[in-house]
Amino acid sequence: TTQMQLGYQFSDVSYEDGVSVRLYDYRQNGANIKLSNQFTERTQAFIQYSQGVFDVPQLQSTQLGGIVIAINPNTGVFEYRDIRTLELKSSTNNADIGVNYALSETFNVGVSAGVRTTSTDKTRETCTAGTAAGFSIVSPARTVRPMRCDAVALAFTSEKDSGGTAGINLDKQLETTRFTANATRAVNPSGAGTPVETDSLTLTLS
């Protein structure tokens, strides 16, 4: 018996005053298609393809860039340079194959493995200002972006990354409760403003 499953997920995460602690609002869209076949009474094999889009539309962060205070070699005076990532969008594609096997009527085991590719696009802005724009070198540790920039430059960058995915699932029906364990490696969204590859372990007793 062959089955096809389609799925879609959407999340919109926002933080109250999150920028002060370097947490950024983000949206996540995901879709997947799964084909499975029941080869025997105990064995089921499947193949799955999924895509997730992680979008941070209003990222105003020096965390992903940096503040540089340096002497301009042409003028001999201090300059302020602030590189900010204004927007980040990341797309991750996964292709997995796996097998579910029933060891008994009450104990099921599933394993999966696959590959993933992640493409990340960033829009960055560089603000350059001198003392005439209100920048002061007196206390650089407390320096904030000046009222105006002497020069503003936009740059668009694209980065690609690839890796593996894996998953193990155990499902045991006890006399009065059910125990499940799930271990996975995958790329997930984060409030830090970038997608991260994480290893997770979930244990459930219900």
Side-chain angles (χ1 to χ4, degrees):
T1 303
T2 302
Q3 294 181 331
M4 181 176 69
Q5 295 175 304
L6 300 175
Y8 174 77
Q9 306 85 35
F10 172 77
S11 59
D12 190 345
V13 178
S14 60
Y15 301 93
E16 184 176 351
D17 196 26
V19 176
S20 62
V21 289
R22 293 185 174 179
L23 291 175
Y24 306 98
D25 301 347
Y26 67 85
R27 293 191 296 263
Q28 171 84 357
N29 290 273
N32 69 284
I33 180 171
K34 181 179 181 180
L35 296 175
S36 60
N37 189 79
Q38 194 75 36
F39 286 99
T40 68
E41 184 178 349
R42 292 191 174 191
T43 306
Q44 180 193 67
F46 65 87
I47 183 171
Q48 179 173 263
Y49 173 79
S50 63
Q51 182 182 59
V53 177
F54 172 66
D55 185 19
V56 188
Q58 295 181 343
L59 182 61
Q60 300 287 334
S61 169
T62 58
Q63 176 193 8
L64 301 182
I67 295 176
V68 177
I69 300 172
I71 296 179
N72 187 318
N74 297 320
T75 62
V77 299
F78 282 102
E79 246 184 14
Y80 167 104
R81 293 178 198 149
D82 180 4
I83 304 173
R84 295 191 178 192
T85 301
L86 301 181
E87 182 178 4
L88 181 145
K89 180 174 287 188
S90 178
S91 177
T92 298
N93 298 279
N94 297 285
D96 304 276
I97 59 173
V99 175
N100 295 319
Y101 184 73
L103 294 173
S104 67
E105 293 183 356
T106 60
F107 190 21
N108 296 292
V109 177
V111 294
S112 65
V115 295
R116 61 109 187 138
T117 58
T118 300
S119 177
T120 302
D121 298 322
K122 298 177 183 179
T123 303
R124 285 184 167 174
E125 176 193 70
T126 301
C127 163
T128 303
T131 54
F135 161 63
S136 173
I137 193 62
V138 174
S139 180
R142 296 186 179 181
T143 297
V144 296
R145 177 170 265 200
M147 294 297 294
R148 67 176 176 82
C149 300
D150 292 331
V152 176
L154 289 178
F156 304 92
T157 62
S158 182
E159 302 172 358
K160 290 188 177 181
D161 179 46
S162 61
T165 62
I168 300 175
N169 182 71
L170 304 177
D171 189 330
K172 175 65 176 177
Q173 179 66 52
L174 305 174
E175 290 186 5
T176 58
T177 58
R178 187 172 190 167
F179 172 76
T180 59
N182 187 32
T184 60
R185 166 170 287 184
V187 171
N188 294 297
S190 76
T194 56
V196 293
E197 184 175 68
T198 57
D199 296 323
S200 64
L201 174 64
T202 305
L203 304 176
T204 305
L205 192 62
S206 58

